[in-house]
C-alpha cells in the first residue's frame, strides 16, 4: 500500500521511533533478568529471600500515563520444585498517532529458592506481531532462543554468575535495611535487545506518600536504567508501592479488583509526549540546503555524542550544522561490495533482527535487484520498494526484518530494519541511523538508513527520500541495542533554530 509524502505529514504520520522504546523500557522494568551486586550484605545469600514456605502471592499494579490510567501489571509467585514459579503479566493501552494500540506481555520463570534463574519464557503480543523468547541457564551460559520452529535461533550469553529474576525484587527489599545515602549496582539481561546492561540505585530518603487516600511510610530510591531516570517507593515491609519512570509513566500498587478496571480511552498521544519542541518553523524542509541549530539539554544527560558529528553534520559545543548531500551520486563499486575493510564488514553482516542471511530476505532482495549492479540505482530502487509496499501503521513490538517482510506492516523502525536487511543481502553496506526529524512543526524521534555506495548517503524509506532532507538529525547509529540509548534524552531536549538555507 503506497502512501504519498503529503499523507505522511498528516495526523497518521508514522515517523516515530518511540513505540519500540516503550516496549523495550517496559520489558526491562517488568521482565528483566537481574544479577544483584548490592553494597549491602548479599541479600541473595542471606535468609534466602524471606518467603515463607508454602507461600503464594500476587502483586497488582495500575499503570498511568500523565495521571491517566493506561494499563495494569500483575506478578504471581508460588513455590515450585525446590524453588519458585514466577509469572509477570502486563497490559498497556496507548494512543499512537490516533491508533489505539494494545500491548500484552507475559514472562514465566522457574527459579531456585534464592530466586536464581533456571529457565524463562517471554511473549509479547501487540496485535500485528507476536514476539517470543525463551532462555535456560546451563552452567555459566544463558541459552536464548528467539522465534519458533525453523525460525528459532539460539544465542549463548556467558554469565559470571546466575541471574536473578527481577520479579524477586520486592522480596529482596524485604531483607534489606535501607539507609539513605547508600547505593547498589545491578547487572541485568535485557530480553528485548539480548544485551547485559548496568543499572544503579540509591536510597534517597524516607518519605510519606498517599495511595488511594492511604498514607504510607516509605523509602524513596532513585535509579538509572539504560540512561533513563526512575524513582520508586517501598514500604517498611519491602513492598514496592509506586514506580515512576520516563515519559510520564507511573505504576502504583493496587488490588485484583481495581487494577484491570477503568482503563481510559482517548488518552494523550504518546508520540506527542516525547516531542522535541523547536522555537521556529521550518517551511518546506525538502528544499533546505543547510540547517544550524542549538541542541539544548543533550550535554547534561551523559549521552554519548560520538555519532553526532559525521559526513553530513558537525557538532561543536551544542551547535549542530547539517548540510544536504547533493547529487548526482556516482557508484564507487559494482554490487556486491567486496573491498576487505574490517570497519565495513559489520555493515554487510546479518545481525539480531536484521536477518540478511535468511532465505526469504535474500530471495526478495534478488528479485528487486534483478540485474542491477550500480549500488546507487539499486539502493534507490530498494528504498522505493519498501516505501511503496509496507503499510504505514504504528507497531509496538521488537522489529524483525523477516517478520516485517511477512506482515508488510510497520512504522519507521520496521521500514529501516527491512531495508537494511535487503541492502546487505545483495552486498550493499547499510546501517540504521536514529535521531530526530522535523514534521508537524516540531522534531520527533525517528529511524532511517545510511547506505554506502562509495560514499555514505542518508536515505529514508518511510518518507521516500533519497537523500534524506537536512531535518534528519542523527544522534546515534546501530541496531536496537544502540537505539535504547535514546531513552537517556527523551523529555530533556529542546531545539533552537539558529539558521537555515534554501537551494
Amino acid at each position: 500500500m503506497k502512501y504519498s509524502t503529503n499523507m505522511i505529514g498528516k495526523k497518521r504520520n508514522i515517523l516515530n521511533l518511540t513505540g519500540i522504546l516503550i516496549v523495550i523500557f517496559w520489558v526491562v522494568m517488568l521482565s528483566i533478568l537481574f544479577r544483584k551486586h548490592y553494597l549491602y550484605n548479599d541479600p541473595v545469600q542471606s535468609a534466602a529471600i524471606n518467603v515463607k514456605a508454602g507461600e503464594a502471592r500476587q502483586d497488582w499494579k495500575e499503570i498511568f500515563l500523565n495521571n491517566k490510567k493506561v494499563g495494569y501489571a500483575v506478578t504471581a509467585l508460588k513455590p515450585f520444585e525446590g524453588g519458585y514459579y514466577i509469572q509477570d503479566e502486563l497490559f498497556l493501552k496507548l494512543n499512537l498517532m490516533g491508533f489505539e494500540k494494545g500491548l500484552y506481555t507475559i514472562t514465566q520463570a522457574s527459579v531456585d529458592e534464592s530466586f536464581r534463574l533456571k529457565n524463562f519464557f517471554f511473549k509479547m503480543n501487540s496485535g500485528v506481531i507476536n514476539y517470543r523468547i525463551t532462555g535456560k541457564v546451563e552452567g555459566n551460559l544463558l541459552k536464548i532462543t528467539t522465534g519458533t520452529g525453523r525460525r528459532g535461533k539460539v544465542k549463548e550469553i556467558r554469565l559470571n554468575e546466575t541471574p536473578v529474576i527481577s520479579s524477586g525484587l520486592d522480596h529482596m527489599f524485604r531483607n534489606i535495611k535501607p539507609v539513605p545515602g547508600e547505593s547498589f549496582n545491578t547487572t541485568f539481561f535485557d530480553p528485548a535487545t539480548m544485551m547485559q546492561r548496568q543499572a544503579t540505585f540509591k536510597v534517597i530518603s524516607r518519605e510519606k506518600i498517599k495511595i488511594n487516600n492511604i498514607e504510607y511510610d516509605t523509602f524513596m530510591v532513585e535509579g538509572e536504567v539504560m540512561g533513563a531516570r526512575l524513582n520508586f517507593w517501598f514500604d517498611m515491609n519491602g513492598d514496592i508501592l509506586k514506580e515512576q519512570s520516563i515519559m510520564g509513566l507511573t505504576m502504583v500498587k493496587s488490588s485484583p479488583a481495581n487494577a484491570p478496571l477503568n482503563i481510559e480511552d482517548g488518552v494523550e498521544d504518546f508520540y506527542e509526549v516525547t516531542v522535541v519542541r523547536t522555537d521556529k518553523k521550518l517551511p518546506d524542509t525538502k528544499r533546505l540546503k543547510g540547517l544550524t541549530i542549538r541542541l539544548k539539554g543533550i550535554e547534561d544527560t551523559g549521552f554519548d555524542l560520538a555519532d553526532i558529528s559525521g559526513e553530513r553534520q558537525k557538532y561543536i559545543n551544542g551547535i549542530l550544522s547539517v548540510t544536504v548531500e547533493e547529487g548526482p551520486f556516482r557508484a564507487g563499486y559494482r554490487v556486491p561490495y567486496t573491498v576487505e575493510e574490517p570497519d565495513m564488514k559489520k555493515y554487510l553482516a546479518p545481525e539480531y533482527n536484521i536477518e540478511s542471511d535468511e532465505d526469504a530476505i535474500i530471495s526478495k532482495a534478488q528479485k528487486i535487484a534483478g540485474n542491477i549492479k550500480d549500488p546507487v540505482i539499486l539502493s534507490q530502487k530498494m528504498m522505493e520498494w519498501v516505501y511503496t509496499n509496507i503499510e504505514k501503521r504504528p507497531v509496538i513490538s521488537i522489529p524483525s526484518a523477516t517478520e516485517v517482510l511477512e506482515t508488510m506492516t510497520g512504522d519507521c523502525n520496521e521500514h529501516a530494519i527491512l531495508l537494511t536487511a535487503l541492502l546487505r543481502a545483495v552486498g550493499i553496506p547499510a546501517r540504521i541511523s536514529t535521531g530526530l526529524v522535523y514534521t508537524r512543526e516540531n522534531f520527533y524521534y525517528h529511524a532511517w538508513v545510511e547506505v554506502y555506495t562509495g560514499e555514505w548517503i542518508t536515505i529514508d524509506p518511510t518518507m521516500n527520500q533519497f537523500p534524506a532532507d537536512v531535518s534528519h538529525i542523527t544522534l546515534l547509529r546501530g541496531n536496537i541495542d544502540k537505539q535504547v540509548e535514546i531513552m537517556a534524552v527523551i523529555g530533556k531536549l529542546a531545539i533552537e533554530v539558529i539558521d537555515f538555507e534554501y537551494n
Side-chain angles (χ1 to χ4, degrees):
M1 180 181 296
K2 184 168 181 176
Y3 283 70
S4 70
T5 305
N6 288 336
M7 182 177 291
I8 290 180
K10 295 181 181 179
K11 182 179 180 181
R12 293 192 173 182
N13 179 323
I14 313 301
L15 301 182
N16 294 279
L17 178 73
T18 44
I20 181 60
L21 300 184
I22 299 164
V23 172
I24 290 175
F25 189 79
W26 282 100
V27 168
V28 166
M29 292 312 299
L30 296 170
S31 307
I32 310 168
L33 308 177
F34 272 100
R35 283 185 296 146
K36 303 295 180 187
H37 298 287
Y38 291 94
L39 298 184
Y40 313 111
N41 293 329
D42 187 353
V44 174
Q45 298 300 329
S46 64
I49 319 292
N50 195 23
V51 177
K52 297 178 181 178
E55 178 186 10
R57 60 177 293 152
Q58 284 188 335
D59 292 297
W60 292 78
K61 292 184 174 72
E62 298 175 70
I63 303 174
F64 296 86
L65 172 61
N66 291 336
N67 299 318
K68 291 189 176 182
K69 187 172 178 180
V70 295
Y72 66 92
V74 55
T75 298
L77 176 144
K78 64 181 179 181
F80 179 74
E81 294 184 352
Y84 303 96
Y85 168 83
I86 301 174
Q87 178 169 298
D88 278 331
E89 292 180 86
L90 163 73
F91 175 77
L92 280 177
K93 185 177 181 181
L94 297 172
N95 172 15
L96 303 177
M97 290 293 174
F99 293 87
E100 293 283 350
K101 305 294 292 185
L103 170 69
Y104 173 77
T105 71
I106 182 169
T107 306
Q108 299 168 331
S110 295
V111 300
D112 67 17
E113 64 178 5
S114 295
F115 284 79
R116 296 192 186 277
L117 182 69
K118 297 179 182 177
N119 55 70
F120 77 94
F121 165 80
F122 171 78
K123 181 179 179 181
M124 176 169 52
N125 186 327
S126 62
V128 177
I129 292 183
N130 289 314
Y131 174 84
R132 57 187 290 151
I133 176 174
T134 60
K136 184 177 182 180
V137 175
E138 295 183 3
N140 65 341
L141 294 178
L142 177 58
K143 293 188 175 182
I144 301 293
T145 302
T146 56
T148 57
R150 292 195 309 167
R151 291 190 177 181
K153 290 194 172 184
V154 178
K155 179 177 181 178
E156 293 184 348
I157 297 174
R158 190 166 299 278
L159 303 170
N160 295 325
E161 58 183 281
T162 306
V164 176
I165 193 77
S166 63
S167 306
L169 187 60
D170 287 30
H171 305 292
M172 292 207 171
F173 279 132
R174 295 186 182 107
N175 288 282
I176 296 172
K177 195 71 175 176
V179 177
E182 290 193 307
S183 300
F184 59 89
N185 303 315
T186 71
T187 302
F188 64 87
F189 171 73
D190 166 19
T193 61
M194 306 273 282
M195 298 286 290
Q196 295 182 78
R197 299 182 180 276
Q198 294 289 324
T200 60
F201 295 91
K202 182 178 181 179
V203 182
I204 301 299
S205 61
R206 287 185 65 165
E207 292 185 7
K208 292 188 181 294
I209 65 170
K210 279 189 176 182
I211 298 176
N212 295 325
N213 294 319
I214 300 175
E215 187 172 78
Y216 296 89
D217 190 13
T218 70
F219 286 97
M220 186 270 201
V221 175
E222 191 176 83
E224 183 175 316
V225 178
M226 299 194 300
R229 296 282 182 180
L230 63 143
N231 299 317
F232 59 94
W233 292 258
F234 59 94
D235 66 17
M236 299 302 107
N237 296 319
D239 289 326
I240 296 178
L241 303 179
K242 181 179 178 180
E243 301 175 45
Q244 194 172 62
S245 64
I246 60 173
M247 305 182 238
L249 286 165
T250 303
M251 289 199 298
V252 178
K253 190 173 182 65
S254 185
S255 66
N258 292 328
L261 300 180
N262 302 320
I263 296 175
E264 298 191 43
D265 294 321
V267 296
E268 185 176 2
D269 192 318
F270 200 90
Y271 290 151
E272 296 302 323
V273 175
T274 61
V275 67
V276 177
R277 304 292 178 189
T278 181
D279 65 332
K280 293 185 180 70
K281 295 181 181 180
L282 295 174
D284 197 5
T285 55
K286 289 181 289 185
R287 290 183 51 241
L288 284 176
K289 181 178 180 180
L291 174 66
T292 302
I293 64 170
R294 188 184 306 277
L295 195 54
K296 300 164 70 173
I298 195 166
E299 294 191 353
D300 299 328
T301 64
F303 183 78
D304 186 354
L305 303 174
D307 287 333
I308 294 187
S309 285
E311 290 80 8
R312 66 193 286 272
Q313 57 186 56
K314 303 299 179 187
Y315 179 82
I316 302 175
N317 297 327
I319 306 298
L320 179 67
S321 298
V322 189
T323 305
V324 70
E325 299 153 309
E326 293 187 288
F329 301 105
R330 293 181 174 86
Y333 62 90
R334 299 277 288 172
V335 175
Y337 182 81
T338 56
V339 178
E340 292 294 325
E341 298 176 42
D343 289 344
M344 295 297 289
K345 285 184 178 180
K346 62 184 178 181
Y347 303 123
L348 287 165
E351 294 182 55
Y352 169 57
N353 283 1
I354 304 178
E355 308 98 331
S356 54
D357 57 344
E358 287 285 336
D359 290 343
I361 297 290
I362 294 171
S363 176
K364 180 57 69 176
Q366 291 175 343
K367 184 176 181 180
I368 297 169
N371 296 320
I372 300 173
K373 297 297 181 182
D374 185 309
V376 176
I377 296 172
L378 183 50
S379 297
Q380 184 160 6
K381 184 178 180 181
M382 285 189 162
M383 182 203 73
E384 290 173 349
W385 185 91
V386 171
Y387 169 77
T388 301
N389 288 279
I390 301 302
E391 180 183 357
K392 287 152 184 62
R393 199 190 329 164
V395 173
I396 305 180
S397 184
I398 310 297
S400 156
T402 53
E403 287 186 347
V404 178
L405 187 60
E406 181 177 318
T407 63
M408 301 297 284
T409 299
D411 51 33
C412 66
N413 222 27
E414 281 72 27
H415 284 66
I417 276 182
L418 177 58
L419 179 57
T420 301
L422 291 171
L423 289 165
R424 292 182 183 182
V426 295
I428 298 177
R431 62 194 183 193
I432 296 174
S433 184
T434 301
L436 300 167
V437 69
Y438 183 84
T439 182
R440 291 172 295 158
E441 300 183 357
N442 281 297
F443 284 87
Y444 291 80
Y445 290 97
H446 186 44
W448 55 93
V449 176
E450 295 177 10
V451 60
Y452 186 76
T453 64
E455 60 182 314
W456 285 105
I457 304 173
T458 306
I459 64 178
D460 190 334
T462 315
M463 301 179 74
N464 198 28
Q465 293 185 359
F466 189 109
D469 67 50
V470 297
S471 78
H472 289 70
I473 297 171
T474 297
L475 297 180
L476 55 82
R477 297 180 178 92
N479 202 349
I480 301 168
D481 59 318
K482 285 288 292 181
Q483 291 177 9
V484 296
E485 295 176 15
I486 289 289
M487 288 193 288
V489 302
I490 286 179
K492 301 173 185 176
L493 301 185
I495 286 177
E496 176 189 339
V497 176
I498 298 174
D499 191 25
F500 55 87
E501 180 183 359
Y502 284 102
N503 279 319

